[in-house]
Amino acid sequence: MTDLPDTAADLPEIETPPTGTEEYFGAAFPTARRYAEHLATTGIEWGLIGPREVDRLWTRHILNCAVVAEFIGENDVVGDVGSGAGLPGIPIALLRPEAKIVLIEPMERRVEWLTMVVQDLGLSNVRIVRARVEELVDEEMFTVVTARAVKAMTTLIEWTREVISPSGRILALKGASVEGELVKAKKLVKRYRLSQPEIHVVDADGLLEVPSRVVEIVKK
């Protein structure tokens, strides 16, 4: 079912997680490591990530996304938009097992991979929905929507505003050019009565040399 290599010797040389990663994930670290193995093997075979990502799986992908969990509460229902390889949804699920995580992905092959991996990792707090988030109006409601490398902020706001509950939030992982995206999104923020965006710069308790940027926007 998992299609992973039979022995550790058969695995590609995955980036060594930074010192302190085990403490950061706590009891979920063995599962996080299993997830990294999936990304490095089945993830590449199925076209979820590129082969050049293996030597930076932890810093560029898993830990980079895990920081979003710092803003997630135990009662949150999180919709991970365009989940792809489960980023950031799966790292959030590992760190916040009491929260409910919905991986939203329209592409069938990616959904099949996510289903395989979620079952293998035993993530009982994760549900997978094959759809585009804008198709889920009147079907789903989230207290938080997350996204990584999914369109510009203007598009993300338009796509998700009707599936976010009152006082719900967008938590978007963005790069260094995010300020420019937010300038373009000003009119939409005002039109839909959203809070002024706040950019959180987080480094996973010092584990990331290049911090992640998490944009938070609250629906009033």
Side-chain angles (χ1 to χ4, degrees):
M1 184 67 180
T2 65
D3 293 334
L4 283 177
D6 293 332
T7 67
D10 296 326
L11 288 169
E13 188 174 344
I14 302 172
E15 176 188 27
T16 301
T19 302
T21 301
E22 184 169 358
E23 289 76 14
Y24 186 80
F25 276 95
F29 180 69
T31 311
R33 186 166 53 195
R34 177 76 170 177
Y35 176 49
E37 292 172 354
H38 267 294
L39 289 173
T41 53
T42 60
I44 292 173
E45 292 164 10
W46 289 51
L48 274 294
I49 66 168
R52 295 183 180 179
E53 301 303 307
V54 174
D55 61 357
R56 51 186 183 179
L57 276 182
W58 286 97
T59 51
R60 184 177 174 87
H61 297 286
I62 299 174
L63 285 167
N64 172 267
C65 290
V67 299
V68 179
E70 298 177 22
F71 306 96
I72 301 297
E74 63 179 14
N75 294 320
D76 275 322
V77 180
V78 181
D80 183 26
V81 178
S83 190
L87 296 165
I90 289 178
I92 294 171
L94 292 171
L95 286 167
R96 295 292 180 267
E98 66 281 359
K100 296 177 181 178
I101 314 298
V102 182
L103 308 182
I104 305 165
E105 172 56 50
M107 294 183 63
E108 182 178 8
R109 186 169 180 81
R110 292 177 180 178
V111 167
E112 290 176 358
W113 185 86
L114 287 170
T115 301
M116 174 183 72
V117 172
V118 166
Q119 289 177 352
D120 183 54
L121 300 182
L123 297 177
S124 59
N125 62 328
V126 174
R127 183 163 55 89
I128 302 163
V129 174
R130 184 186 175 192
R132 299 183 185 279
V133 67
E134 62 269 33
E135 298 170 346
L136 299 179
V137 176
D138 298 328
E139 294 183 20
E140 302 275 357
M141 187 63 67
F142 307 105
T143 61
V144 175
V145 293
T146 61
R148 181 193 191 218
V150 178
K151 300 295 183 180
M153 286 303 305
T154 51
T155 304
L156 188 60
I157 290 170
E158 290 281 18
W159 280 1
T160 63
R161 64 185 180 85
E162 293 189 20
V163 296
I164 302 173
S165 62
S167 300
R169 297 167 292 150
I170 296 173
L171 294 173
L173 278 162
K174 286 291 180 177
S177 63
V178 64
E179 287 85 358
E181 289 190 32
L182 293 177
V183 169
K184 294 178 180 179
K186 276 186 176 181
K187 290 183 179 179
L188 286 183
V189 168
K190 184 177 181 179
R191 181 188 304 167
Y192 298 133
R193 299 181 180 180
L194 307 174
S195 72
Q196 287 302 308
E198 183 175 0
I199 302 174
H200 303 282
V201 181
V202 281
D203 62 4
D205 294 344
L207 297 177
L208 294 173
E209 291 185 9
V210 179
S212 301
R213 289 178 175 83
V214 180
V215 177
E216 182 176 17
I217 300 176
V218 180
K219 183 176 181 179
K220 296 179 181 179

